[in-house]
Amino acid sequence: KYPEDAVTIAHLLNEKKIDFEMVIIGNGDKRELVQEMIAKYNLQSKINLYDFMTPLDIRIRMENSNVYLFTSGKQEGWGVVLNEAMNSGCVVLANNAAGSTPYLIENTFNGFSYHRSSQGSLEVVECMLHSTSLSSISDNAYRTISDMWNPQKAAYNLIQFVKANKVVTTDGPCSYA
């Protein structure tokens, strides 16, 4: 929902001479702004813009990516795309205002969260660049979803919730999250 944040992060990476390729998918109302920013920062060779894609095509892109930028804010609600990116083993940089971010992301363990500002973007990029364990973070992201936020755990926790008529787990589905 804030694709301009992705371009800002790309600009920061480019300034630090970090080699990357970014894909931005969608035709939202900020597409023109994104195109202008890409031109302003001379990122045409680094950022590829694509029209809307099917959920399956997007999931395939996630499966073939190392990092996922989850730039949505409060308007996103939960934001299941974060679950999907983590389940795909992506190292996620997530806007802390999105509904699922505070519950799914444990900073530097299974992803990174940032405050939506250029300073926040800079801080998370710096943290990510100086992390020596990105493959471990990727594995932890995958395990967070596969072990805790999965349909079997949700069904079990729901049954426990109904039986006890109260929340009985501190994290995962049917917790206060």
Side-chain angles (χ1 to χ4, degrees):
K1 306 299 182 228
Y2 294 108
E4 65 272 26
D5 289 1
V7 180
T8 299
I9 289 171
H11 175 60
L12 295 169
L13 291 170
N14 200 49
E15 281 189 330
K16 295 189 171 295
K17 309 280 191 252
I18 305 297
D19 190 32
F20 68 95
E21 178 186 336
M22 182 179 286
V23 170
I24 298 177
I25 302 169
N27 294 336
D29 59 351
K30 293 190 177 182
R31 186 165 180 122
E32 190 173 311
L33 170 64
V34 167
Q35 289 171 323
E36 289 170 5
M37 290 177 71
I38 290 169
K40 174 183 174 184
Y41 297 131
N42 195 27
L43 295 169
Q44 297 89 335
S45 66
K46 299 287 189 179
I47 299 177
N48 298 302
L49 292 176
Y50 292 92
D51 292 339
F52 286 116
M53 292 183 180
T54 67
L56 177 60
D57 288 335
I58 291 172
R59 189 60 188 257
I60 290 168
R61 288 271 181 184
M62 281 182 194
E63 296 286 334
N64 292 308
S65 297
N66 298 316
V67 176
Y68 188 88
L69 301 177
F70 181 48
T71 59
S72 296
K74 287 188 257 186
Q75 79 285 13
E76 183 67 33
W78 178 259
V80 74
V81 70
L82 179 55
N83 297 63
E84 294 168 341
M86 292 172 73
N87 187 246
S88 295
C90 293
V91 173
V92 177
L93 285 73
N95 182 339
N96 69 330
S100 56
T101 300
Y103 301 102
L104 296 181
I105 297 293
E106 188 177 332
N107 249 335
T108 71
F109 173 73
N110 65 0
F112 300 92
S113 66
Y114 69 94
H115 297 276
R116 191 174 180 271
S117 68
S118 59
Q119 185 61 33
S121 299
L122 178 60
E123 288 170 4
V124 76
V125 167
E126 288 292 332
C127 187
M128 190 181 110
L129 292 176
H130 291 100
S131 179
T132 57
S133 58
L134 288 181
S135 65
S136 175
I137 291 169
S138 170
D139 292 342
N140 292 337
Y142 174 78
R143 281 198 297 281
T144 296
I145 301 304
S146 68
D147 296 350
M148 176 61 64
W149 291 88
N150 63 56
Q152 296 79 12
K153 187 77 168 179
Y156 176 81
N157 287 354
L158 178 60
I159 291 168
Q160 300 309 307
F161 173 79
V162 170
K163 284 181 180 177
N165 198 25
K166 64 179 181 179
V167 173
V168 296
T169 185
T170 58
D171 53 7
C174 296
S175 66
Y176 285 106

